[in-house]
Amino acid sequence: MFQKNAVFTHPKGMHIRAAAMMVQKAYEIENTMGTSVYIRNQAGREVPATALMAIHSLNIKPGECITIVAKGPNANDAIECFEELLKRDLLPQNSAELEQVDDILEENMIKADKIFDSIGLGLIVTNKQGTIIQCNRIVEDLTGIKKQYIIGNLIQEVIPGIDLRGGSFNRIRVKDSTKKDEQKIVSADVNPIFVEGEIAGYSIIFNKHTSQMGSPLSEQLLDYSQKNELGFKISQKETFKLDEAFSNIIGRSEKLLAALGIAAKAAKTSSTVLLQGESGTGKELVAEAIHRASSRCKGPFIKVNCPGIPANLMESELFGHERGAFTGAIYQKIGKFELANGGTIFLDEIGELDKNLQAKLLRVLQEREFERVGGNQVLKTDVRIIAATHRNLREMVSKGDFREDLYYRLNVVPIMLPSLRERKDDIPLLVEHFLEKLCKKLGLKNKIISKRAIGYLYNYDWPGNVRELENIIERVINLTDSEIIDAWDLPQYITGKVIEKKQPLINLNIDGELATFDDYEKAIIKVALKKYKSFNAAGKALGITHKTVAAKARRYGIVE
C-alpha cells in the first residue's frame, strides 16, 4: 500500500461530474496497472475511487486536504497518475472523455434506480416544498398509481391528508393489490432530510404492517372513495386500456395517450367526433381506429378529402346525383353518404367546405337524410360522422367563414392531437417503426440509425409533424448506401449545418499498394491511444476490450 496527501483544488468541490472523472481515472489505473485506488477525507473516511456515489458523498470542499491511497502493484505510479488528474480542472478535455463520464453517470443512475426499486418497503422522497422527486415500485402497488404520474406532484395530491411535519406513524388508507376493490391501512414514517443543517426534503417510508378496513380509523385517514381530482385522473389514465384498433398509432407520450383515451371512449358511442390538430399529426389514422373500435367496424369506412374535390363537384361526391342532373351526368351516381350507410364517413379538412355545402351537411347531421343532386327522393342514412381539420373552426366562425350551427353539431366530441414537437420523446419509437416498415416496403435490408442522427431529429421543430418524419426516413433509406443512417445523411435544413461525411477508412491512389494487416493494426492502435489517452477509452472506440488494446500496444512496441 502507498499513500500520498493532496489538496482538492476544484472551485466547485466534489460535484458529481468531478467525481465521475475520478472514477474514470481509477478504472483506467485498475485496468492498466492492476492497482486499486482509494480516497480518504479529513475525517478519516476511506472509499474506493471507483465508487461514484461514495466519492460524491465525501462532500470534499475546495482547498480541502485528501489522501490518495493505492493498493496493489505499481502503487507509486498509480498515485502519481491519479494526482495528475487532480491538478487539472476535473472537466472533460475532449468528446471522448465527455462520453466516458456520461456513461459512468448514466450507469450509476440506472444502478441507483434499481437499488431504490429493490428496497422492501415503500419509499417516497420529496423536496422541501413537498413535491415528490422519487418513489419506488412498492409505492406504485400501494397507491395504484404508476411512478411516472406520482413524480412531480405534491405529496398531498397523491396522499391527501398526510402531514410532512407530523413525524412517524401516519396511518394511510391505500389500495390492496391482492384483493380487488378493497383497501388496507399502512403506517408511514415521515422524516426530514437534512443537508448542512437545513431541511432539504422529506422521506416517507411505508411500513409492512397493515390492517384491514374493518379496523377503527381516525377521521384524518385518507378516504379513496372521495374523488381526489388528481388521483381520479391518474387512475383513469392507467386503468384504461386502448382497444387493439389503436395499436398502429405509435407513441407513448402523455399528450398522445390522453387524446387516444378520449378517442377510445368516443368509439363506444355513435356521437360525431371532431379531430383537430396540425397537418401530419395522424388524424386519419385516429379516425380509422375509432371506426374499427366501434360497433360499426363491420360497416364501410368512407374517406372524403374535402380540399381535394372541386367545389362544383363536392355536392355530387357527398350526396350523389341522378342521371341527367347536369351536363355530363349520363349515369346515376351513388354519393359517399349513401356508400357509408351503416358505417363511418370521415370528412378530412372540413374547414374547406363552402357555405352552401355546410348548410346541406348540417341537414344530414340534424335529420339524417339527404337528396341526390337532381333528384327528389329523400334518402335516409345511418352513418357516423368523424370530421377533421387543421384550422381553428371557432376563429372561422367568429369571422363568418364557417357556420356556427354546423360547428356546434360537429364539436360534440372534440379531440386535439398533439404536434410532433409536443411529443418529441416519441421520435425514437417512430423512427424505429418507419425504418422497419419502409425497408420492408422498399425491399431493402433493415437499416439502423445512429444516436447522433436521432439527436438532430429530436432538435428539429417538425412543422410537417409525423408525416414529414416518415418522408425524411424514406428519403434517407433510399439515398444512404450504408446500413447505418448517420447525421450527414439527413437534409441540411434539419441538421442546420453541413456535416462533413466520413471518408473511406482506406484511401489508395491509382498506384497505391496495400500494407500488411499487422501494419494497419499497429497504426490503428497507435492513433487510438494518441486520441483517447487510455486503453479503456481506446478499446471502447475500437469495439474491443482494454486488455486486447494493451496486449497489441505492447506487441507492436507502442508502449513498454
Side-chain angles (χ1 to χ4, degrees), residues 270-286:
S270 290
S271 297
T272 303
V273 174
L274 178 60
L275 298 172
Q276 301 170 84
E278 297 177 10
S279 295
T281 50
K283 294 187 287 293
E284 184 177 324
L285 278 177
V286 175

Side-chain angles (χ1 to χ4, degrees), residues 266 269-275 287 290-291 296 301-302 318-319 337 340 343-348 350 353 360-369 381-388 406 409-413:
T269 73
S270 290
S271 297
T272 303
V273 174
L274 178 60
L275 298 172
I290 292 172
H291 168 72
R296 297 172 174 268
F301 178 73
I302 303 298
L318 291 178
F319 308 119
F337 272 95
T344 304
I345 188 168
F346 173 54
L347 303 175
D348 197 10
I350 191 77
L353 279 184
K360 294 180 183 293
L361 179 58
L362 181 63
R363 179 189 174 194
V364 178
L365 281 165
Q366 290 176 328
E367 310 296 336
R368 298 291 166 178
E369 62 183 31
T381 182
D382 172 25
V383 64
R384 200 254 183 90
I385 295 176
I386 301 177
L406 177 58
R409 282 285 180 179
L410 292 172
N411 198 40
V412 178
V413 182

